[in-house]
Amino acid sequence: MFETLGFADLDTFLQVDWVDRFAEGRAADQYAQALTWLAADISTPYDSDLDAALAAITARVLLMPSATDLYFRTADNELELAALRKAELAEIPSVWGHRAGSPRDSPDDLAFLRRHVRGWLAD
């Protein structure tokens, strides 16, 4: 799959597209992002009851996890889906894992996203 992005082998892809790209960013920005993730618990105002916090969301929600994401798993979204009032789940059938849906990486992912988001918005 890395060949489709112009890389000769997996090691080169990982070096250029991950290691080098993260090295260009400021460490303080990455640290701030990690702290935000740790502090972003929507269940806090609901005595740590995540189901109650999710049930309080009145907006329509479209959950679009990647089939191969090992960080944000579809199974987690399926559990959240049960507690949300107006929600739908459309799993992205992508080999790109956490980066699924990135238009830069995969025209197929982009087409899937466009089709599902447009259909969801039209409802």
Side-chain angles (χ1 to χ4, degrees):
M1 72 183 170
F2 50 82
E3 299 93 348
T4 63
L5 300 177
F7 295 99
D9 54 59
L10 180 59
D11 288 336
T12 304
F13 167 72
L14 292 173
Q15 181 64 46
V16 173
D17 207 59
W18 285 94
V19 176
D20 294 349
R21 283 183 57 215
F22 276 103
E24 291 171 4
R26 295 184 56 216
D29 291 342
Q30 293 175 17
Y31 180 65
Q33 181 178 12
L35 289 178
T36 300
W37 287 353
L38 289 172
D41 183 354
I42 66 166
S43 72
T44 302
Y46 298 88
D47 295 323
S48 297
D49 183 343
L50 181 59
D51 286 341
L54 292 170
I57 296 171
T58 58
R60 289 176 58 221
V61 177
L62 177 59
L63 302 167
M64 295 190 74
S66 165
T68 54
D69 191 341
L70 298 179
Y71 193 76
F72 297 111
R73 296 176 170 267
T74 300
D76 294 332
N77 282 163
E78 289 170 340
L79 293 173
E80 295 161 349
L81 184 65
L84 289 163
R85 292 181 191 193
K86 296 177 269 182
E88 195 175 309
L89 186 139
E91 184 180 67
I92 305 168
S94 175
V95 297
W96 291 105
H98 189 63
R99 294 180 56 190
S102 172
R104 181 180 70 88
D105 293 339
S106 172
D108 292 339
D109 286 7
L110 178 58
F112 180 89
L113 289 173
R114 282 187 172 151
R115 185 171 60 254
H116 280 79
V117 170
R118 285 179 176 156
W120 183 78
L121 289 172
D123 286 343

Coordinates of all heavy atoms in Angstrom, one line a residue, residues 1 64-68 91-117:
M1 N 0.8 -1.2 0.0 CA 0.0 0.0 0.0 C 0.8 1.3 0.0 O 0.5 2.3 -0.6 CB -1.0 0.0 1.2 CG -0.4 0.2 2.5 SD -1.7 0.0 3.8 CE -0.7 0.0 5.2
M64 N -17.7 7.5 12.1 CA -17.0 6.8 11.0 C -15.6 6.3 11.3 O -14.6 6.9 10.9 CB -17.0 7.8 9.8 CG -18.3 8.2 9.3 SD -18.3 9.2 7.8 CE -17.9 7.9 6.6
P65 N -15.6 5.2 12.1 CA -14.3 4.7 12.4 C -13.7 3.9 11.2 O -14.5 3.5 10.3 CB -14.6 3.7 13.5 CG -16.0 3.3 13.2 CD -16.7 4.5 12.6
S66 N -12.4 3.6 11.2 CA -11.8 2.8 10.2 C -11.8 1.3 10.6 O -11.6 1.0 11.8 CB -10.4 3.2 10.0 OG -9.7 2.2 9.3
A67 N -12.1 0.5 9.7 CA -12.1 -1.0 10.0 C -10.7 -1.4 10.5 O -10.7 -2.4 11.3 CB -12.4 -1.8 8.7
T68 N -9.7 -0.7 10.2 CA -8.3 -1.2 10.6 C -7.6 -0.2 11.6 O -6.4 -0.4 11.9 CB -7.4 -1.3 9.4 OG1 -7.5 -0.1 8.6 CG2 -7.9 -2.4 8.5
E91 N -18.6 2.3 9.0 CA -17.2 1.9 9.1 C -16.5 2.1 7.8 O -17.0 1.6 6.7 CB -17.1 0.5 9.6 CG -15.7 0.0 9.8 CD -15.6 -1.4 10.3 OE1 -15.9 -2.3 9.5 OE2 -15.2 -1.6 11.4
I92 N -15.4 2.8 7.8 CA -14.6 3.0 6.6 C -13.8 1.7 6.3 O -13.0 1.3 7.1 CB -13.6 4.2 6.8 CG1 -14.3 5.5 7.2 CG2 -12.8 4.4 5.5 CD1 -13.4 6.6 7.7
P93 N -14.0 1.1 5.1 CA -13.3 -0.1 4.8 C -11.9 0.2 4.2 O -11.7 0.2 3.0 CB -14.2 -0.7 3.7 CG -14.9 0.4 3.1 CD -15.0 1.5 4.1
S94 N -11.0 0.6 5.1 CA -9.7 1.1 4.6 C -8.6 0.2 5.2 O -8.7 -0.3 6.3 CB -9.6 2.5 5.1 OG -8.3 3.0 4.8
V95 N -7.5 0.2 4.4 CA -6.3 -0.5 4.9 C -5.4 0.5 5.7 O -4.4 0.1 6.2 CB -5.5 -1.1 3.8 CG1 -6.3 -2.2 3.1 CG2 -5.0 -0.1 2.8
W96 N -5.8 1.8 5.7 CA -4.9 2.8 6.2 C -5.0 3.0 7.7 O -4.4 4.0 8.3 CB -5.2 4.2 5.5 CG -4.7 4.1 4.1 CD1 -5.5 3.9 3.0 CD2 -3.3 4.1 3.7 NE1 -4.7 3.9 1.9 CE2 -3.3 3.9 2.3 CE3 -2.1 4.1 4.3 CZ2 -2.2 3.9 1.5 CZ3 -0.9 4.1 3.5 CH2 -1.0 4.0 2.2
G97 N -5.7 2.2 8.5 CA -5.7 2.3 9.9 C -6.2 3.6 10.4 O -7.2 4.1 10.0
H98 N -5.4 4.2 11.3 CA -5.8 5.4 12.0 C -5.9 6.6 11.0 O -6.6 7.6 11.3 CB -4.7 5.8 13.1 CG -5.1 6.9 14.0 ND1 -6.2 6.9 14.8 CD2 -4.5 8.1 14.1 CE1 -6.2 8.0 15.4 NE2 -5.2 8.8 15.1
R99 N -5.2 6.5 9.9 CA -5.2 7.6 8.9 C -6.3 7.4 7.8 O -6.3 8.1 6.8 CB -3.8 7.7 8.3 CG -2.8 8.2 9.3 CD -1.5 8.4 8.8 NE -1.5 9.3 7.7 CZ -0.4 9.4 6.9 NH1 0.7 8.8 7.1 NH2 -0.5 10.3 5.9
A100 N -7.2 6.5 8.0 CA -8.2 6.2 7.0 C -9.0 7.5 6.8 O -9.2 8.3 7.7 CB -9.1 5.1 7.5
G101 N -9.4 7.7 5.6 CA -10.2 8.8 5.2 C -9.4 10.0 4.8 O -10.0 11.0 4.4
S102 N -8.1 10.0 4.9 CA -7.3 11.1 4.5 C -7.3 11.2 3.0 O -6.8 10.3 2.3 CB -5.8 10.9 5.0 OG -5.0 11.9 4.5
P103 N -7.9 12.2 2.4 CA -7.9 12.3 1.0 C -6.6 12.3 0.3 O -6.4 11.9 -0.8 CB -8.6 13.7 0.8 CG -9.2 14.1 2.0 CD -8.5 13.4 3.1
R104 N -5.5 12.7 1.0 CA -4.2 12.7 0.4 C -3.7 11.3 0.2 O -3.0 11.0 -0.8 CB -3.2 13.5 1.4 CG -1.8 13.6 0.9 CD -0.9 14.3 1.8 NE -0.7 13.5 3.0 CZ 0.3 12.7 3.2 NH1 1.1 12.4 2.2 NH2 0.5 12.0 4.3
D105 N -4.1 10.4 1.0 CA -3.6 9.1 1.0 C -4.5 8.1 0.1 O -3.9 7.2 -0.5 CB -3.5 8.5 2.4 CG -2.5 9.1 3.2 OD1 -1.6 9.8 2.7 OD2 -2.6 9.1 4.4
S106 N -5.8 8.3 0.1 CA -6.6 7.3 -0.6 C -7.8 7.9 -1.2 O -8.8 8.3 -0.5 CB -7.0 6.2 0.5 OG -8.0 5.4 -0.1
P107 N -7.9 7.9 -2.5 CA -9.1 8.3 -3.2 C -10.3 7.5 -2.9 O -11.4 8.0 -2.9 CB -8.7 8.2 -4.7 CG -7.2 8.1 -4.8 CD -6.8 7.6 -3.5
D108 N -10.1 6.2 -2.7 CA -11.2 5.3 -2.3 C -11.8 5.7 -1.0 O -13.0 5.7 -0.8 CB -10.7 3.8 -2.3 CG -10.3 3.3 -3.6 OD1 -10.8 3.9 -4.7 OD2 -9.6 2.3 -3.7
D109 N -10.9 6.0 0.0 CA -11.4 6.5 1.3 C -12.2 7.8 1.1 O -13.3 7.9 1.7 CB -10.3 6.7 2.3 CG -9.6 5.4 2.8 OD1 -10.0 4.3 2.3 OD2 -8.8 5.5 3.7
L110 N -11.7 8.7 0.4 CA -12.4 10.0 0.1 C -13.7 9.7 -0.5 O -14.7 10.3 -0.1 CB -11.5 10.9 -0.7 CG -12.1 12.2 -1.0 CD1 -12.5 13.0 0.2 CD2 -11.2 13.1 -1.9
A111 N -13.8 8.9 -1.5 CA -15.1 8.6 -2.1 C -16.1 8.0 -1.1 O -17.3 8.4 -1.1 CB -14.9 7.6 -3.3
F112 N -15.6 7.1 -0.3 CA -16.5 6.5 0.8 C -17.0 7.6 1.7 O -18.2 7.6 2.0 CB -15.7 5.4 1.6 CG -16.5 4.8 2.6 CD1 -17.3 3.7 2.4 CD2 -16.5 5.3 3.9 CE1 -18.0 3.1 3.4 CE2 -17.3 4.7 4.9 CZ -18.0 3.6 4.6
L113 N -16.1 8.5 2.2 CA -16.5 9.5 3.1 C -17.5 10.5 2.4 O -18.5 10.8 3.0 CB -15.3 10.4 3.5 CG -14.3 9.7 4.4 CD1 -13.1 10.6 4.6 CD2 -14.9 9.4 5.8
R114 N -17.2 10.9 1.2 CA -18.2 11.8 0.5 C -19.5 11.2 0.4 O -20.6 11.8 0.6 CB -17.6 12.2 -0.9 CG -16.5 13.2 -0.8 CD -16.2 13.7 -2.2 NE -15.3 14.8 -2.1 CZ -14.3 15.1 -3.0 NH1 -14.2 14.3 -4.1 NH2 -13.6 16.1 -2.8
R115 N -19.6 9.9 -0.1 CA -20.8 9.2 -0.3 C -21.6 9.1 1.0 O -22.8 9.5 1.1 CB -20.6 7.8 -0.9 CG -21.8 7.1 -1.2 CD -21.5 5.8 -2.0 NE -20.7 4.8 -1.2 CZ -19.4 4.6 -1.4 NH1 -18.7 5.2 -2.4 NH2 -18.7 3.7 -0.7
H116 N -21.0 8.7 2.1 CA -21.7 8.5 3.4 C -22.1 9.9 4.0 O -23.2 10.0 4.6 CB -20.9 7.7 4.3 CG -21.1 6.2 4.0 ND1 -20.4 5.6 2.9 CD2 -21.9 5.3 4.5 CE1 -20.8 4.4 2.9 NE2 -21.7 4.1 3.8
V117 N -21.2 10.8 4.0 CA -21.5 12.1 4.6 C -22.6 12.8 3.8 O -23.6 13.4 4.4 CB -20.3 13.0 4.8 CG1 -20.6 14.4 5.2 CG2 -19.3 12.4 5.7

